[in-house]
Amino acid sequence: MDRRERLADLFLRIDGLGPELVRTVDPGDEMLRTIERHAQNRDETLCSYFRTGRDALLLLEHVQATLGRPLTELDAVLDFACGWGRVARWLRARLGRDRVFGSDIAPASLAFCSDALGIGTFLSALDPAELRFPRAFDLIFVGSLFTHLPRPRFESWLRALLGALTPDGSLVFTTHGEERMPPGSDGGSGFAFVESTPIDYLPVSEYGTTFVQRDALRALAAHCGATQLASRARALWWYHDVHVARRERSPRLDDALPPVPLVQGRFHSVTETAPGHGRAIGFAAVHREHGPLTEVLLRLDGEDLGRAVLGEPRALDANCEPAADHEWCEFYAEGDLRRFGAGEHLLAAIGRSAGSPARALDVAPLTLSPA
């Protein structure tokens, strides 16, 4: 394995659901390539790919727990616009292949999901009127499609996907919220679509970048057949708003989706300060309802190093990521690591809060010189 693969392997050994998680990633995976385009360090990209899939699974488990019907009790779950299975592989690991389905407009991605993941797949279309869903679904997840659709397509897909639910089913989808909307781009409508696409087989008029205000979305969802919409700003992948739309109201769901109990964080730097001595600096964040942060544990090559020192908790302003309803703090650790020997080692940070279980935050290489 190269460094990128070894970092991902370490992350998955901490948080990877064991051998049931398919680790094969197609070289043409568009989401992996998107992560690579925005990454400062290519070594981080595969780990980021798996982390974002894990975070989506944790969100869906949280939504179903809120509704009082655990994810593991559902009969049919659809990952719509599934791509090459970034999220579907985690659903498959949790539910098994027979209850997970994927749909996408790209035949190559569906072939991968069918062959590598073994899930049921069906080809989507630009126009929802051309798609016939093979069955009704208890849960449909749409991770990053409504973030790219012009308004007519946005409305028609929202209506079609709501129509593909079982009576007690939920549609969970993400949008870019008003905080990211370019000033004046919506013309006062609360909805803005900017023509631009990194996908060469889709016209810019059909796939760009979309922003929608939450109040405007609530009215739009009702127009498309939703009797209930629960939302949480920037609840997934640092900046995606999350929405749960239903045709039948649930008494367990309010307009505000409860926050996901998840500690998130990253390393700022992992360096050798002197031969055989290392230093790690990073940050961790958690929603205030699940705080405070209680510890960040460090492991080198799988061996526990102990707790990092946590700084004072701080509030985030409205323009930061994650959102202002989170608290965050820096963590710091430094020590003698000569017993591990010279060469490259892998460091992991694991975070925990009062209301969130331990989760892998980040992994990074650390090269030690001969002492």
Side-chain angles (χ1 to χ4, degrees), residues 51-300:
R51 183 195 295 113
T52 54
R54 178 208 65 177
D55 290 353
L57 173 68
L58 295 176
L59 166 70
L60 296 176
E61 290 182 325
H62 172 68
V63 168
Q64 290 302 134
T66 301
L67 291 168
R69 189 182 180 193
L71 181 67
T72 52
E73 295 182 4
L74 303 186
D75 294 324
V77 176
L78 171 62
D79 183 4
F80 190 76
C82 64
W84 275 255
R86 175 177 58 148
V87 176
R89 69 184 66 234
W90 290 87
L91 289 168
R92 176 196 179 278
R94 184 65 85 205
L95 301 175
R97 67 185 67 188
D98 294 337
R99 291 188 284 165
V100 179
F101 299 82
S103 181
D104 200 272
I105 200 169
S109 69
L110 290 186
F112 175 83
C113 289
S114 178
D115 296 342
L117 306 185
I119 63 173
T121 61
F122 57 96
L123 188 65
S124 185
L126 278 176
D127 186 350
E130 300 175 1
L131 176 61
R132 296 293 178 265
F133 291 91
R135 60 169 298 161
F137 298 94
D138 301 306
L139 174 65
I140 300 176
F141 174 66
V142 189
S144 187
L145 176 65
F146 289 102
T147 51
H148 298 288
L149 296 178
R151 183 158 187 158
R153 289 287 191 235
F154 192 108
E155 293 188 21
S156 58
W157 275 118
L158 186 55
R159 184 176 292 108
L161 290 165
L162 284 167
L165 293 171
T166 58
D168 191 37
S170 299
L171 169 64
V172 180
F173 64 101
T174 70
T175 63
H176 294 142
E178 53 241 52
E179 295 89 353
R180 300 179 65 84
M181 183 180 291
S185 60
D186 64 330
S189 69
F191 190 102
F193 174 75
V194 180
E195 291 188 353
S196 63
T197 175
I199 299 180
D200 54 14
Y201 55 82
L202 293 175
V204 294
S205 61
E206 292 283 356
Y207 194 91
T209 304
T210 302
F211 309 88
V212 58
Q213 294 179 354
R214 284 178 282 279
D215 288 344
L217 178 61
R218 188 167 301 281
L220 194 155
H223 175 71
C224 292
T227 64
Q228 190 172 34
L229 184 75
S231 301
R232 170 66 57 180
R234 289 188 279 186
L236 185 63
W237 304 326
W238 302 105
Y239 61 87
H240 279 221
D241 289 0
V242 170
H243 313 279
V244 182
R246 292 174 56 86
R247 289 187 299 161
E248 294 189 5
R249 295 187 64 86
S250 168
R252 299 176 63 98
L253 199 63
D254 296 324
D255 288 348
L257 179 69
V260 181
L262 175 63
V263 178
Q264 302 177 81
R266 298 291 185 273
F267 284 121
H268 290 315
S269 64
V270 174
T271 56
E272 184 182 44
T273 57
H277 290 71
R279 176 192 294 156
I281 301 172
F283 79 94
V286 69
H287 193 279
R288 287 195 298 266
E289 288 188 23
H290 298 297
L293 293 159
T294 55
E295 62 182 7
V296 172
L297 303 174
L298 297 178
R299 292 180 187 170
L300 191 68

